[in-house]
């Protein structure tokens, strides 16, 4: 399977349709009962991968940052790539839960869209939320099998956004609910990781309002 990371920072599988990969235990295991050492590894790895890049971060760097011996992370993960996949999965799982809650609620389409935009900005830009920026920067470093696992989650996330965009069209708030609309919207929001500086300029609430106004004119 070949996958591409578009300039808008959205992940799409290339044709032909891919075969779904059977999932066993999640890679991201924040609730593990082993003293949360896996969770510590995932959080610290996310920060290091974002600061230094995947290629610039060694397993020794990760182990040192959580007070482990250099080989100890391999007790929890088979490879550095699997740590990277766990980082990406952690961000998507956290974001997916909030998006599912919003979409399942009874808000009217405009308010639902506002809530989704704010939630996505928090997932991408919130303090300590290094997971999704790592996905945007280091997607190419994953093996095809690990990419397939992450795309499974990404597809679920995108489907919920697409449902809300369709509701906006049915309410007469946008002219098109095509896939391109979703790609442009999420691509623009995701690119904010390149320029947004917490504590400088707009707050996330203000950025959310301006994003909604830009796309909907309201």
């Amino acid at each position: 399977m070949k996958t591409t990371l578009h300039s808008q920072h959205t992940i799409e599988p290339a044709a032909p349709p891919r075969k779904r990969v059977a999932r066993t235990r999640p890679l991201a295991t924040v609730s593990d009962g082993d003293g949360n050492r896996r969770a510590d590894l995932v959080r610290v790895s996310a920060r290091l991968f974002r600061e230094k890049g995947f290629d610039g971060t060694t397993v020794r760097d990760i182990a040192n940052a959580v007070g482990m011996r250099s080989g100890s992370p391999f007790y929890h993960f088979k490879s550095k790539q699997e740590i990277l996949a766990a980082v990406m999965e952690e961000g998507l799982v956290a974001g997916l839960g909030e998006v599912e809650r919003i979409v399942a609620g009874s808000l009217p389409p405009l308010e639902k869209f506002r809530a989704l935009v704010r939630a996505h900005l928090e997932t991408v830009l919130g303090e300590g939320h290094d997971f999704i920026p790592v996905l945007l920067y280091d997607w190419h470093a994953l093996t095809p099998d690990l990419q397939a696992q992450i795309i499974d989650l990404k597809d679920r996330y995108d489907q919920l956004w697409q449902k809300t965009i369709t509701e906006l069209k049915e309410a007469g708030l946008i002219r098109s609910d095509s896939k391109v609309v979703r790609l442009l919207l999420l691509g623009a929001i995701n690119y904010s990781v390149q320029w947004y500086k917490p504590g400088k300029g707009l707050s996330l609430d203000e950025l959310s309002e301006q994003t909604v106004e830009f796309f909907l004119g309201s």
Side-chain angles (χ1 to χ4, degrees):
M1 182 190 73
K2 180 180 179 182
T3 56
T4 56
L5 183 61
H6 294 281
S7 60
Q8 292 93 349
H9 300 295
T10 54
I11 302 167
E12 295 295 329
R18 59 189 170 77
K19 182 180 179 180
R20 294 283 180 173
V21 175
R23 294 171 60 80
T24 55
R25 69 180 290 183
L27 289 168
T29 52
V30 170
S31 60
D32 274 357
D34 57 358
N36 268 346
R37 297 304 278 163
R38 283 174 62 97
D40 291 341
L41 285 168
V42 170
R43 283 189 286 266
V44 167
S45 296
R47 175 175 57 80
L48 292 175
F49 290 155
R50 186 174 187 181
E51 291 174 355
K52 303 172 65 174
F54 176 76
D55 292 333
T57 302
T58 66
V59 174
R60 183 183 295 274
D61 292 333
I62 296 168
N64 288 342
V66 293
M68 288 182 172
R69 294 181 178 181
S70 59
S72 295
F74 294 122
Y75 172 78
H76 303 278
F77 298 97
K78 295 178 181 178
S79 65
K80 191 173 78 161
Q81 284 181 319
E82 191 170 286
I83 299 174
L84 177 63
V87 167
M88 296 178 183
E89 184 175 80
E90 177 66 21
L92 285 170
V93 167
L96 183 62
E98 180 64 9
V99 167
E100 286 176 334
R101 183 190 67 79
I102 294 168
V103 172
S106 58
L107 291 173
L110 176 57
E111 295 309 311
K112 188 176 293 186
F113 180 69
R114 288 185 192 277
L116 282 183
V117 169
R118 182 60 180 83
H120 190 70
L121 283 168
E122 183 67 32
T123 298
V124 175
L125 302 175
E127 184 178 356
H129 292 195
D130 299 312
F131 308 102
I132 298 301
V134 169
L135 186 154
L136 302 177
Y137 296 141
D138 288 314
W139 173 254
H140 65 280
L142 291 180
T143 62
D145 286 348
L146 289 172
Q147 285 182 346
Q149 272 188 244
I150 302 305
I151 288 175
D152 257 358
L153 283 170
K154 177 70 166 57
D155 285 349
R156 289 169 57 193
Y157 193 87
D158 286 347
Q159 286 165 8
L160 292 166
W161 269 90
Q162 194 67 51
K163 181 177 185 295
T164 300
I165 289 171
T166 296
E167 290 176 2
L168 289 175
K169 181 177 184 295
E170 291 172 348
L173 296 171
I174 55 176
R175 296 178 61 183
S176 171
D177 63 348
S178 74
K179 172 183 171 182
V180 172
V181 172
R182 171 175 53 80
L183 291 174
L184 289 172
L185 169 64
L186 292 180
I189 295 175
N190 290 342
Y191 193 75
S192 63
V193 302
Q194 297 282 352
W195 54 262
Y196 183 78
K197 304 296 182 186
K200 298 181 180 179
L202 296 174
S203 68
L204 287 184
D205 287 336
E206 291 168 336
L207 180 57
S208 177
E209 286 301 312
Q210 289 200 20
T211 301
V212 172
E213 181 179 354
F214 178 78
F215 278 96
L216 298 185
S218 61

